[in-house]
Structure formats: structure tokens, C-alpha cells
Amino acid sequence: MTAEPLALAKALNAGLRKAMENDPRVLVMGEDVGKLGGVFRVTDGLQKDFGEERVIDTPLAESGIVGTAIGLALRGYRPVVEIQFDGFVFPAADQIITQLAKMGMRSLGRLNLPVVVRIPCGGGIGAVEHHSESPEAYFTHTAGLRVVACSNSADAYSMIQQSISSPDPVIFFEPKRRYWDKAPVERDPDAWTPLHAARVVQPGEHVTVLAYGPSVKTCLEAASAAAEEGRSLEVVDLRSLNPLDIDTVVRSVERTGRCVVVHEAPVYSGFGAELAARITERCFYRLEAPVLRVGGFSTPYPPSRLEDHYLPDLDRILDAVDRTFGW
């Protein structure tokens, strides 16, 4: 049977629906997730089919939303919380960092908080301030959280269900500018990639390019452009940021000898710094050049008319690839 093509937002909707059908403890909570179906329509139709007790329109209070989810998880439910836009997660940071991430350790493993916090992330949609952030490094730095980022419809469908099934809290990043990109979706769980495994999405020989979330498609486009110049880029979709599938990364970098890391967040203290450090530790004698990073600049996210200058594009990625051959 041919896998059905779905837009990424529709794949998330289908994955949430399947999880709710399979487990009555799964709840969906957030601002406008019910009657409206979410600002990106990811939860469209769920309240109609599962009722207001399982798809809950909450007040505009992110700290209260996550705090309520923690209480529900302690009573045996599996809440899926939607943060409407990435920049809105910061009012909930206290609940996520101080409570959600630490309850397992605080209780010596006796208590689990299977809460999924969905966060549409990144830029590229011409939005206003606080709507185009990339806050992943805050959460990868927080022990006790699993942090994952889907980049396509197939992963969106499988990874949201795998995250809901996890006994641990999961921060689930969704690339909002890819919500309308379509790709085939595999419905058979036996064919899914494990939640915390990276995947080589474009084999190559000369340079390893590491990306996740919205940057994966940009890197694939860069690989196509580089191929016209005779350079073969291997693109690795990390998929999971914590835990990190470092072994897949190391195998690729040891073979190519060069590595470029791409993400939308600012380069300074971004997640790429952790990748560069780990790769240098594991691959030092196999590297032909330093690990280079391409990302946002050390400024607040700019107005929408300037975001094309801020976000990594083909030229900046290919320039980094060129620089790895200058050593």
C-alpha cells in the first residue's frame, strides 16, 4: 500500500487523533486548540470528535497550562500541551524547568510526568515579534527533558505518537514554515525510525551537514546546488536533540572529514556549539577542517522584512562548505 501524502500539519493532526483513539488518557490542551482547531489548524476537528473534556481550550496563561498538565500527569493522564507560538513558551519556563524536568529525579524515579509540550518553532512566515523564535538550546540544557524536532510529515506523524507514549516529558518542536509541505506518511509503526535516532536523509561523500527541524529542507536544497558544482553533501537530520544520536553523526563525519552545522537559532551558545564540541572530541584525528556553524545572528529576531537576511540560506550554507575546503 502506497503511503498517503499529507501536509506536515495534517500529519500531526492524524498522529494526535491516532494517539487519542488508542489511549483515553491522552488529552490536548492549549489556547484555541478546540473550537478553532489551533492557529495552524493542527488540532482541527479533535474537539468535535473527542469532546471538550479531552480537547481543552485554556486561558491565555502558558504557565497555568503547563502547571495544569503537570497535575493531570500526576493523576495518570498524558497531556499534550500546545504553546501557540515559540516565543510564548517563556512564561511557562518556570513550570517546565523547575517542575516538569525535575519531578522524576526529585521523586527518585517513583513519579513520571508523560507531558508533551508542542512548540511551533522558527521563522519564515512573516510574523511579528515573539512569533519566530528558536528556543531549543534552553531546553536541551535542561536535564530531565527529552527534546525532539520533526522536519517532515512522516516524522511528524510517527514522532508525535512516540513522544506521547514516552514516560518522560518531551519538548516537541514543529517547523511552522514547513506545516504546508507534503510528503508520504507511513502508518505502520514497525516501519518508523526510533524516536531518538538521527537519519541520513541525503547520502554524500565530501561534507557532513547536520540540521534539524526547518533547516533540514534548506540543507537538502543546498546539497542539490552543491552537486551541480561536483561536491557531494551528506545531510543528517538529527531529529532528536536530547538524547542525541551522536554515533550516527560520528560515523558520517569520520567518513567525510568535514562538518557544517545549520540551525535558525543564533550561533552564539546555540545547539551547534554542543555538536561542534562533541564532534571535535570524537573525530579529532579524522577532521580535515574545523566544524563550522551557520545560524542566526546575535540579535533579537528581526522584523519580517529582514528575516530573509537573518535565516540561514543556500548561499550561507554553501559558503561554509567552501570554507571547509580552505584548510
Side-chain angles (χ1 to χ4, degrees):
M1 182 178 177
T2 304
E4 176 189 4
L6 287 178
L8 193 150
K10 292 291 185 182
L12 285 168
N13 180 280
L16 287 167
R17 180 179 296 277
K18 187 67 173 176
M20 296 183 76
E21 290 172 351
N22 290 344
D23 189 344
R25 299 173 299 169
V26 178
L27 310 175
V28 172
M29 305 168 56
E31 299 162 7
D32 298 319
V33 299
K35 292 181 180 179
L36 181 65
V39 292
F40 296 105
R41 303 300 186 265
V42 170
T43 55
D44 189 37
L46 296 182
Q47 188 179 77
K48 179 176 69 69
D49 294 337
F50 293 98
E52 294 184 6
E53 292 186 352
R54 292 188 66 193
V55 182
I56 304 162
D57 281 318
T58 65
L60 306 182
E62 285 77 15
S63 182
I65 295 168
V66 176
T68 302
I70 291 171
L72 286 165
L74 288 170
R75 296 302 299 267
Y77 292 95
R78 307 185 82 88
V80 181
V81 170
E82 178 181 295
I83 302 298
Q84 197 170 73
F85 283 91
D86 34 42
F88 299 172
V89 74
F90 300 116
D94 183 24
Q95 292 286 0
I96 294 171
I97 294 168
T98 308
Q99 306 298 337
L100 187 61
K102 294 180 171 58
M103 190 65 74
M105 178 71 78
R106 184 183 300 148
S107 66
L108 300 179
R110 290 191 294 270
L111 297 176
N112 294 323
L113 291 180
V115 176
V116 176
V117 180
R118 293 180 40 242
I119 305 177
C121 67
I125 63 167
V128 296
E129 190 179 25
H130 307 309
H131 290 66
S132 302
E133 308 288 331
S134 298
E136 62 270 14
Y138 295 107
F139 300 112
T140 58
H141 183 71
T142 303
L145 300 174
R146 297 179 182 267
V147 182
V148 301
C150 63
S151 67
N152 58 71
S153 300
D155 278 348
Y157 179 77
S158 62
M159 290 172 70
I160 191 64
Q161 294 180 67
Q162 292 166 323
S163 297
I164 292 169
S165 298
S166 172
D168 302 313
V170 178
I171 306 298
F172 192 96
F173 285 105
E174 306 165 5
K176 66 171 79 75
R177 66 169 157 153
R178 309 300 184 202
Y179 271 145
W180 301 276
D181 292 356
K182 287 189 175 183
V185 170
E186 176 57 66
R187 304 277 184 161
D188 182 5
D190 292 335
W192 294 350
T193 302
L195 179 61
H196 297 299
R199 185 169 59 236
V200 176
V201 292
Q202 173 66 55
E205 300 297 329
H206 299 147
V207 183
T208 296
V209 181
L210 304 178
Y212 52 88
S215 298
V216 173
K217 182 177 180 179
T218 309
C219 291
L220 288 170
E221 293 169 349
S224 296
E228 297 177 2
E229 300 176 357
R231 284 184 175 159
S232 174
L233 308 189
E234 177 150 297
V235 181
V236 179
D237 183 351
L238 296 177
R239 302 177 74 251
S240 176
L241 309 186
N242 190 16
L244 175 66
D245 181 6
I246 190 63
D247 291 337
T248 296
V249 172
V250 167
R251 283 194 297 271
S252 177
V253 175
E254 284 186 338
R255 189 166 45 76
T256 64
R258 294 176 171 84
C259 183
V260 173
V261 180
V262 182
H263 55 59
E264 291 191 7
V267 168
Y268 185 79
S269 292
F271 187 68
E274 176 68 22
L275 290 169
R278 290 205 183 194
I279 292 165
T280 301
E281 290 172 358
R282 293 281 298 270
C283 307
F284 184 77
Y285 291 106
R286 303 292 290 273
L287 285 170
E288 301 290 340
V291 178
L292 300 183
R293 294 171 289 159
V294 182
F297 302 109
S298 291
T299 67
Y301 197 89
S304 58
R305 288 186 180 182
L306 298 176
E307 68 178 349
D308 287 344
H309 301 285
Y310 177 89
L311 295 170
D313 58 12
L314 264 65
D315 289 339
R316 289 172 60 195
I317 295 169
L318 293 175
D319 175 70
V321 169
D322 289 343
R323 285 188 284 127
T324 65
F325 286 91
W327 295 82

